Amino acid sequence: MKGEERLDPCGEEDLNELMRQRRVKLEKLKERNIQPYALKFNRTDLIVNLRQRFQNLQQGEESDYSTSVAGRLLALRLHGKASFADILDSSGKIQLFASADQLGLEDYEFFTTLDIGDWIGASGKIFKTRRGELTVKVESFQLLSKALRPLPEKWHGLRDVETRYRQRYVDLIVNPEVREKLMIRVDTIHALRDYLDRQGFVEVETPMLQLIPGGATARPFVTYHNALDTNLYLRIAPELFLKRCIIGGLEKVYEINRNFRNEGVSYKHNPEFTMLEFYWAYVDYLDLMDFLEEMLSSIIADLRGSTVIEYQGQKLDFTPPWKRITLLNAVSQALGREIGFYMELDELRRIAEENDIQLEKNWGKGKIITELFERLVEMNLWQPTLVMDYPKEVSPLARTHRNDPNLTERFELIVANREIANAFSELIDPLEQKSRFEQQAAQWEAGDEEAHRIDTDFLRALEYGMPPTGGLGLGVDRLVMLLTDSHSIREVILFPHLRPEAF
RNA sequence: GGGCCGCUAGCUCAGUUGGCAGAGCACUGGACUUUUAAUCCAGGUGUGCCGGGUUCGAGCCCCGGGCGGCUCACCA
């Protein structure tokens, strides 16, 4: 922990030299009746618009256009009676030119005492310097907000990852790529919504607080509702509520929102993460594979200009069609021998042990085969791959496979060794769903904290009749990681979870 | 949770065998009216993550703790 971090951030004592200097300046401003925290500023132009409008201005040429810009002061280059400054607004940077000639001596002196980090507004004519830099010739300016803390230095910026995540506001100021990644995230979510809206899906909002955390295998966060005197769980997935929407007749629904899972934190896991789930009546998982291929490849092409992107130094090719394999074939191939449900449980257990998998006693054939897949195949899958037909044992909400009672009509999209999407032909038979829940309940009794719990209302809903439906979930953060070439999920989440900071 | 690594000035980082705690940027003072990592002259940066221990002497060695990164396990 840095010494400075332990200070009360609002305290007046024990400030470092730079912070003391700024507080002294603040007092001097007040003595001169200068309000250091302005009420408002009438900005006329966003910096990006000025750059576009005056891109053809000649070097040394001055326009007759007078602008008012505002932003944070990021650099000051003092040259005696004339100075340059850079300010940053939400759209970009622009240079200011301030001189004693233009401002008069008193205002010019004030300008030179501004600190890097201060917010200012400035008005004047747009011109281009002899060096070709678009610049505002400041005729008047106003301090909008005084900064009491110094910013990190200009070349190296802020590197310390802990400070970058804890004080993302500073990261956003000094590291332009943070803003760029955020904008790719914004554009990705917008593109997903736009694509689904155009296909006639309706976006719905389903409960974050749930009595029974369902729709996935994961440990939930627990909270408590005072008036109802009951425990509630932060949702681990919206799945069961979105299916209720399908039962209600909505036909094509989706939700993009947060899920919460009370599990480990790592470079690909944050306790809260953003998930897209959609449900589509009358289609099966084969339709969904085509749809996902088309949706993702077109969004990636729109956003990145190509369906081939680079991730962590390697190419990722999203050009359809993607490789499709069945889980059983993939495992068989990796093992160099045919495996399947016809084998005895003991034999599968032996193969798992030979491959360094720590077995648990209640695991059946399906779970063991899935573990083998994750260990032997998934960690080697780099290019987008659709893995089909997961065992029923690990898929309590998916429809039984039309050709094999041990399997379900489920696929996952694996890219760069990680699961990006998970989808299936939904199980719509209420009686079969009931018995699947009961099997899960038995696992729960046996100590599996991630086993699915029986959701009686969901079974009741199914009994009213659910049309054949395909459903898909997509990890938005992980998709954005791929699109921004980010190694860690923390790079694509503005405020990732860290251990509490000790002040 | 396990293993490995890191924590020194506001920021980015050096620091020899255990022997006066440093550099660049930032900051302060001075010069400078077209710079953009501005330049030139001068100057001060400090709870060495915290707490113990060893030692004449600890940023450095030992023990305990904190936070972070990577990685393994778990998971999406």
Side-chain angles (χ1 to χ4, degrees):
Chain A
M1 190 93 316
K2 303 281 162 51
E4 192 262 331
E5 297 297 340
R6 285 180 290 99
L7 300 176
D8 174 354
C10 298
E12 297 297 318
E13 293 166 19
D14 209 15
L15 301 176
N16 69 53
E17 179 62 28
L18 300 180
M19 290 173 67
R20 270 197 301 273
Q21 284 166 8
R22 291 186 178 215
R23 272 159 212 255
V24 168
K25 277 188 185 175
L26 184 68
E27 286 311 309
K28 285 183 177 166
L29 290 173
K30 286 177 178 168
E31 284 166 18
R32 293 172 55 198
N33 270 327
I34 294 171
Q35 164 62 273
Y37 301 104
L39 280 168
K40 62 175 287 178
F41 182 73
N42 291 320
R43 173 171 70 181
T44 59
D45 296 287
L46 216 49
I47 288 166
V48 70
N49 294 337
L50 291 174
R51 288 206 172 281
Q52 195 167 9
R53 179 166 166 188
F54 294 103
Q55 60 184 336
N56 293 325
L57 211 60
Q58 297 301 305
Q59 296 189 357
E61 186 185 351
E62 181 168 332
S63 79
D64 55 8
Y65 180 73
S66 198
T67 186
S68 291
V69 292
R72 191 187 288 274
L73 190 65
L74 284 192
L76 252 184
R77 293 177 291 280
L78 303 178
H79 295 260
K81 296 288 181 285
S83 302
F84 294 91
D86 299 330
I87 62 165
L88 173 73
D89 75 9
S90 65
S91 72
K93 277 191 206 178
I94 198 165
Q95 179 170 266
L96 306 182
F97 176 73
S99 68
D101 290 348
Q102 288 283 327
L103 286 170
L105 214 52
E106 189 179 341
D107 275 359
Y108 179 75
E109 293 286 319
F110 178 26
F111 190 88
T112 62
T113 61
L114 291 171
D115 285 310
I116 287 168
D118 289 352
W119 291 89
I120 63 169
S123 304
K125 295 277 196 305
I126 289 283
F127 77 109
K128 213 167 234 181
T129 64
R130 293 205 289 261
R131 304 283 180 98
E133 183 76 30
L134 197 70
T135 303
V136 177
K137 184 177 271 183
V138 180
E139 287 156 17
S140 65
F141 73 96
Q142 188 186 351
L143 175 62
L144 300 179
S145 184
K146 186 71 192 161
L148 295 181
R149 285 176 181 261
L151 287 176
E153 63 132 310
K154 54 195 171 190
W155 335 338
H156 302 92
L158 180 63
R159 291 273 176 76
D160 183 85
V161 285
E162 181 177 355
T163 312
R164 286 187 49 230
Y165 298 153
R166 288 195 196 280
Q167 296 181 241
R168 187 70 95 182
Y169 35 91
V170 179
D171 197 24
L172 279 165
I173 295 164
V174 300
N175 292 327
E177 62 277 11
V178 177
R179 196 180 281 194
E180 286 159 21
K181 285 187 176 186
L182 172 66
M183 293 319 292
I184 290 173
R185 182 188 178 103
V186 168
D187 291 344
T188 302
I189 292 173
H190 186 260
L192 289 167
R193 282 211 164 91
D194 187 55
Y195 193 93
L196 291 167
D197 290 343
R198 284 170 190 275
Q199 301 286 331
F201 284 83
V202 293
E203 182 173 11
V204 295
E205 293 160 282
T206 64
M208 295 274 173
L209 296 173
Q210 302 182 348
L211 274 165
I212 299 158
T217 53
R219 299 214 301 267
F221 287 94
V222 193
T223 187
Y224 175 76
H225 190 288
N226 293 335
L228 298 178
D229 184 27
T230 186
N231 277 344
L232 290 173
Y233 299 89
L234 275 67
R235 75 174 186 195
I236 55 175
E239 172 154 354
L240 299 187
F241 283 95
L242 291 172
K243 285 179 175 173
R244 285 171 170 96
C245 294
I246 296 290
I247 292 165
L250 296 184
E251 292 193 3
K252 295 170 102 170
V253 297
Y254 76 95
E255 181 165 8
I256 297 180
N257 223 318
R258 225 69 62 79
N259 289 345
F260 307 86
R261 298 191 184 175
N262 204 342
E263 284 164 353
V265 177
S266 79
Y267 73 97
K268 46 179 160 173
H269 300 89
N270 196 58
E272 53 183 303
F273 62 101
T274 300
M275 185 92 157
L276 159 67
E277 285 200 16
F278 70 76
Y279 291 81
W280 182 358
Y282 314 123
V283 307
D284 65 11
Y285 81 135
L286 300 172
D287 298 316
L288 291 181
M289 283 194 284
D290 296 339
F291 184 83
L292 179 65
E293 223 168 47
E294 174 57 32
M295 177 173 78
L296 275 193
S297 60
S298 79
I299 285 174
I300 290 168
D302 284 352
L303 255 40
R304 307 266 68 189
S306 166
T307 50
V308 182
I309 61 175
E310 185 157 315
Y311 184 68
Q312 304 295 290
Q314 291 184 67
K315 292 264 183 289
L316 281 177
D317 189 351
F318 283 92
T319 313
W322 302 336
K323 191 177 169 194
R324 297 183 183 195
I325 56 175
T326 69
L327 187 139
L328 276 174
N329 282 344
V331 175
S332 299
Q333 215 163 45
L335 280 171
R337 56 168 291 189
E338 196 70 23
I339 62 148
F341 285 87
Y342 60 86
M343 295 166 74
E344 293 299 322
L345 181 62
D346 283 345
E347 192 175 1
L348 283 170
R349 290 180 69 95
R350 210 192 63 243
I351 293 171
E353 279 166 355
E354 283 167 6
N355 286 280
D356 300 322
I357 290 170
Q358 296 194 343
L359 292 159
E360 290 177 27
K361 47 238 154 274
N362 56 335
W363 286 7
K365 296 179 187 175
K367 176 65 176 169
I368 293 170
I369 290 170
T370 305
E371 289 289 323
L372 279 166
F373 170 77
E374 286 170 5
R375 165 143 317 216
L376 300 174
V377 184
E378 186 171 285
M379 53 189 290
N380 298 316
L381 283 181
W382 187 260
Q383 294 302 327
T385 304
L386 296 163
V387 180
M388 302 159 60
D389 303 342
Y390 280 66
K392 191 185 281 186
E393 184 183 345
V394 296
S395 314
L397 301 167
R399 186 186 192 105
T400 302
H401 197 281
R402 62 195 76 180
N403 299 324
D404 187 340
N406 294 302
L407 301 175
T408 56
E409 301 208 343
R410 170 183 172 189
F411 73 88
E412 289 193 359
L413 170 64
I414 309 293
V415 186
N417 320 324
R418 68 203 69 178
E419 177 188 338
I420 297 296
N422 178 21
F424 27 93
S425 303
E426 301 297 339
L427 174 55
I428 61 172
D429 176 342
L431 301 180
E432 185 179 351
Q433 183 66 76
K434 183 161 189 274
S435 75
R436 299 265 201 105
F437 273 158
E438 281 161 355
Q439 285 161 32
Q440 289 287 310
Q443 304 240 355
W444 172 267
E445 295 298 324
D448 182 356
E449 280 185 74
E450 293 179 354
H452 215 290
R453 284 161 238 193
I454 297 177
D455 187 331
T456 308
D457 174 70
F458 177 64
L459 290 173
R460 177 169 64 185
L462 281 180
E463 287 168 7
Y464 280 96
M466 178 167 166
T469 297
L472 182 144
L474 185 149
V476 173
D477 312 275
R478 289 190 174 176
L479 176 60
V480 176
M481 285 168 73
L482 299 179
L483 294 177
T484 56
D485 194 15
S486 298
H487 170 70
S488 171
I489 198 169
R490 297 185 189 107
E491 294 294 334
V492 300
I493 291 174
L494 272 179
F495 302 101
H497 283 282
L498 300 176
R499 279 198 166 76
E501 183 175 10
F503 277 109

